[in-house]
Amino acid sequence: MLSYRHAYHAGNHADVLKHLILVQMLQYMTQKPAPLWVVDTHAGAGRYSLESEQAQKLGEFQDGVGRLWKATGQPKAVAEYLDTVRELNPDGELRHYPGSPWLAYQQLRKDDRLRLFELHSNEVKLLARSFNGTGRQVHIVEGDGLGALKTLLPPPTRRGLILMDPSYETRNDYAAVLQALKESLKRFATGTYALWYPQLAKIESRQLPDRLKRLPAGNWLHATLRVQAPATDGFGMHGSGMFIINPPWTLAETLRQALPWLARELALGEGADWSLEVQEA
């Protein structure tokens, strides 16, 4: 049974890391004239009201994008990420938050394509409402995005960004993303793959980065942002990571400037930290 709803967590520290990186990758990849395909395997609702009952219940956005909204001295990448959020908040008040699909759509050109997958039936309805009127450029499917990759890759243009960010509610999610990446790399070795994962006490989360590094990929980047030390009771998410295969060459230096600032601004206590690893073939 699907229980995860991202509306409870929209705009939190994990979204900040994921979406800042997504914006940077798309800004780089849309500089080349050839059309780009973007595939989001776990699209969610597309965009979120931070005044909704779900968002207000946990209030996670207040310690995420909320802390950055009026902060000064922002690195360039942080400012560019916030500019995309301001597109949904033209009056300057933080009331709405764009999910990955909406952020991607803002960056795409008329010949680019966005393919969105979501399993939760209620989320699919909201997603369709968010993209009503976008025509053939955006295609929404209620179904398993990881399983569908075999039918999409390689894209016709041979240029693609694939974003994978499941909820990791079950152990199967960890195995599923690894298997999907292995199969996708066989079909489309030159694609750019961006996998988000939570930093949790559970062993599957702790082992995932090393398992990702053993994939048959020549170039990868691994960035993490931890906002606090792991809880002594073993519960809760203390940070998150992004593992990117075939990243833009500019991304590493951009993150070296942004991650230390984010770790300071988003710290929830002792143990806040960041890391960045890069492997080039």
Side-chain angles (χ1 to χ4, degrees):
M1 180 178 179
L2 296 170
S3 60
Y4 181 85
R5 302 291 297 275
H6 193 67
Y8 290 95
H9 313 285
N12 67 2
H13 60 83
D15 267 1
V16 170
L17 176 67
K18 174 172 57 179
H19 293 152
L20 180 147
I21 290 175
L22 178 61
V23 168
Q24 290 299 308
M25 289 194 296
L26 286 168
Q27 285 183 351
Y28 178 86
M29 297 179 76
T30 52
Q31 291 177 16
K32 295 183 179 181
L36 175 70
W37 277 48
V38 178
V39 180
D40 193 333
T41 62
H42 298 78
R47 49 186 176 179
Y48 306 90
S49 169
L50 298 179
E51 298 176 327
S52 70
E53 180 181 352
Q54 295 98 323
Q56 290 291 322
K57 183 174 182 179
L58 299 178
E60 290 186 8
F61 70 91
Q62 295 172 3
D63 285 323
V65 65
R67 287 197 182 192
L68 310 182
W69 193 241
K70 295 183 179 179
T72 58
Q74 304 159 357
K76 183 172 182 287
V78 176
E80 290 172 344
Y81 153 69
L82 290 173
D83 284 344
T84 65
V85 181
R86 288 192 176 93
E87 292 288 332
L88 283 182
N89 299 278
D91 64 355
E93 295 298 322
L94 181 60
R95 297 189 177 96
H96 303 278
Y97 189 80
S100 303
W102 191 254
L103 286 170
Y105 181 67
Q106 286 179 292
Q107 302 289 326
L108 298 188
R109 304 153 301 177
K110 65 176 183 178
D111 291 331
D112 298 328
R113 294 292 181 264
L114 183 59
R115 298 295 179 257
L116 306 175
F117 293 85
E118 175 57 44
L119 273 169
H120 199 296
S121 58
N122 289 335
E123 298 290 86
V124 168
K125 293 175 184 176
L126 295 172
L127 187 63
R129 191 181 305 165
S130 294
F131 288 96
N132 183 37
T134 54
R136 295 177 57 192
Q137 187 172 28
V138 180
H139 185 64
I140 298 169
V141 177
E142 181 177 353
D144 175 20
L146 294 179
L149 288 176
K150 63 176 66 75
T151 68
L152 292 176
L153 302 181
T157 62
R158 300 284 172 165
R159 297 190 68 233
L161 168 60
I162 295 86
L163 176 65
M164 305 175 179
D165 58 340
S167 63
Y168 298 96
E169 286 185 293
T170 70
R171 292 181 179 180
N172 292 339
D173 284 340
Y174 294 89
V177 293
L178 283 164
Q179 186 61 32
L181 281 168
K182 289 178 184 177
E183 294 177 355
S184 296
L185 285 167
K186 291 177 183 178
R187 291 181 171 83
F188 186 36
T190 58
T192 296
Y193 300 87
L195 173 70
W196 174 87
Y197 70 92
Q199 289 185 324
L200 305 168
K202 62 173 59 178
I203 190 169
E204 294 86 3
S205 175
R206 291 187 281 112
Q207 290 179 342
L208 183 60
D210 286 337
R211 298 180 71 184
L212 290 167
K213 293 171 190 176
R214 292 196 292 270
L215 289 170
N219 300 310
W220 54 258
L221 179 151
H222 179 218
T224 69
L225 177 63
R226 190 171 73 185
V227 297
Q228 60 189 344
T232 55
D233 61 7
F235 290 99
M237 179 174 66
H238 51 271
S240 66
M242 286 285 284
F243 190 87
I244 302 160
I245 296 172
N246 298 324
W249 70 270
T250 55
L251 185 59
E253 182 57 33
T254 296
L255 293 178
R256 287 190 184 99
Q257 298 176 25
L259 287 173
W261 188 89
L262 287 173
R264 291 193 302 270
E265 292 293 320
L266 299 180
L268 296 177
E270 296 295 326
D273 203 357
W274 63 279
S275 68
L276 182 64
E277 302 171 88
V278 179
Q279 174 178 285
E280 298 179 352

